[in-house]
Amino acid sequence: MAKALRCLTLPLVLMLWTQSRPQELSYSFVGHRITWRMSYAEESMRLHTQHRYSPFVRRFRNARLETRNIAYRLTCHASGRSCPSGAKILGDRIWMDVTLTKPLGIKLEGGPDGEGSGVGVGEVLEGGSAAALIDEAIAEGAPPLSWIQEGDELLAVNGNLCRGSLKRAVEMISEADGSEVTLKIQRKKRGNVQVVFPGGLHVTAPRKTPLPQVAQSVGYDWGSNVWHQDEATGEMYDVSSLDCMPGFTPSKWAEHGEDGVKNEVDGIEFENWYPLVLKVRTKA
C-alpha cells in the first residue's frame, strides 16, 4: 500500500497544478492503469482502476472510487490548526470560496505575462464587502473564516473558471445575476499574512517584513510594550525586533532560523489562513 501511494504522487501533483479545463491524465504502475479526472468546478478527483495482472484488484475490476481533496485533508491533519469553513489546502496553496455582495471593493490586476497569465487581487478597498469580511474575520471571538486579501489569486467566479484572464473575470463579476458573487481564490501558504494590532489596526503584510515596519505602516505605536502575544498559538512577538516577522513563529525561528524554513521544520511557518492577532502582554 505504501508503495502504491508513493507511485500516485506524480499524477496527483501534476493534476493539482494544471489550471485549465477539466481534463484527464493517465499513469501506469505495477500492472495497473490509473486515470485521474479532475473538475476544478467541483474540486473532485475520481480514481478509476482497471485490472491487468493483480488477483486482488480483479475482484474490483469495475470499482470506482471517488474521494474529495485527498491532499488538503492530509495537510490539514498535519497542521497545527484546521482549515476554516470553505478553505482547502492543496500542496503549497490554500483554496477558498468567498461569497461577497456588490460592491465587492477589490481591485483586480492581470498576471505578469499579460492577458491569460493570471488574475490577482491588487488591493482591497474600504467600503466594499471584501473589507467588511476581513473586519468580520479578525473580530475578537470570531469563528475561523475565509477572506480575500491582497496577493490572492482569483480562480473562478460563481463556479466558472477565469482561465487566467483578467477581462473574463471582470466580465463575469459585472454580469453576475443578483447581489452576491462567490469567488474561488487561492493563496500561497508562504504568502501574505493578515496582521492585527491592538485597537483593530490591521494590514496585509509580506511574511518576511519585520514587525516594526508592519506596525509603522498602519501607525501603530507600541510605546514601551514591545511584547505581544498571538492568543491562538500562545507565541510571543517582540514588535520592536527586526528578527520578528509575521510569517514565522518566533520560538521556532529563534531556534532554527532560515535553515528551519529550508528544512521545513514543523510549525515554523505561520498558517496564513488565520489572521495574526496580537495583544499586548508582559513576558514572564
Side-chain angles (χ1 to χ4, degrees):
M1 178 61 73
K3 183 177 181 181
L5 288 176
R6 286 196 299 270
C7 292
L8 286 174
T9 301
L10 176 60
L12 176 59
V13 170
L14 289 175
M15 281 306 299
L16 290 179
W17 303 131
T18 303
Q19 296 180 18
S20 59
R21 296 180 180 178
Q23 54 186 291
E24 66 180 44
L25 174 71
S26 295
Y27 183 67
S28 298
F29 75 99
V30 198
H32 298 83
R33 185 170 183 80
I34 305 299
T35 301
W36 289 95
R37 288 187 177 89
M38 185 171 190
S39 168
Y40 286 94
E42 298 176 353
E43 299 173 28
S44 64
M45 290 176 287
R46 294 175 175 85
L47 173 63
H48 300 267
T49 63
Q50 183 177 8
H51 167 68
R52 287 185 183 176
Y53 308 114
S54 169
F56 176 77
V57 177
R58 183 179 296 117
R59 290 178 295 168
F60 303 92
R61 176 184 295 271
N62 298 316
R64 181 174 179 173
L65 305 177
E66 180 168 330
T67 184
R68 300 179 65 86
N69 305 308
I70 297 172
Y72 98 81
R73 287 181 181 174
L74 294 177
T75 307
C76 279
H77 289 169
S79 163
R81 293 185 282 186
S82 61
C83 302
S85 175
K88 305 170 182 66
I89 299 179
L90 297 171
D92 65 350
R93 298 288 196 277
I94 309 134
W95 283 14
M96 304 180 184
D97 289 326
V98 176
T99 299
L100 303 174
T101 57
K102 300 178 181 178
L104 310 187
I106 56 174
K107 181 180 179 181
L108 299 177
E109 54 188 24
D113 297 322
E115 181 67 12
S117 63
V119 183
V121 179
E123 187 178 359
V124 175
L125 306 172
E126 289 297 328
S129 59
L133 183 59
I134 292 177
D135 290 338
E136 184 180 351
I138 67 176
E140 187 170 357
L145 296 175
S146 297
W147 72 89
I148 187 169
Q149 66 182 22
E150 293 88 346
D152 290 346
E153 181 180 356
L154 179 59
L155 301 178
V157 178
N158 288 338
N160 300 304
L161 294 176
C162 297
R163 298 173 188 165
S165 170
L166 175 60
K167 180 181 178 181
R168 176 178 169 83
V170 172
E171 288 178 350
M172 289 192 295
I173 292 174
S174 301
E175 298 171 3
D177 294 332
S179 60
E180 289 191 344
V181 179
T182 298
L183 307 179
K184 181 175 295 297
I185 61 173
Q186 73 171 2
R187 179 178 305 158
K188 293 180 180 179
K189 288 174 65 177
R190 293 184 173 181
N192 296 338
V193 177
Q194 191 69 213
V195 183
V196 186
F197 293 100
L201 296 171
H202 63 92
V203 64
T204 305
R207 62 191 306 100
K208 289 188 175 182
T209 305
L211 273 180
Q213 296 180 21
V214 179
Q216 185 179 17
S217 70
V218 292
Y220 176 66
D221 182 7
W222 61 82
S224 60
N225 302 311
V226 299
W227 289 107
H228 291 59
Q229 185 179 40
D230 175 17
E231 292 183 332
T233 63
E235 285 286 332
M236 296 293 291
Y237 291 76
D238 180 355
V239 296
S240 69
S241 172
L242 295 176
D243 288 331
C244 215
M245 295 166 281
F248 310 103
T249 53
S251 61
K252 296 286 186 178
W253 179 263
E255 182 180 357
H256 301 282
E258 192 68 44
D259 288 340
V261 179
K262 295 177 182 178
N263 297 327
E264 299 183 351
V265 170
D266 185 45
I268 194 169
E269 301 270 6
F270 181 80
E271 300 160 325
N272 66 347
W273 54 95
Y274 280 82
L276 174 59
V277 183
L278 299 175
K279 302 288 187 180
V280 176
R281 291 290 184 268
T282 300
K283 190 174 183 180

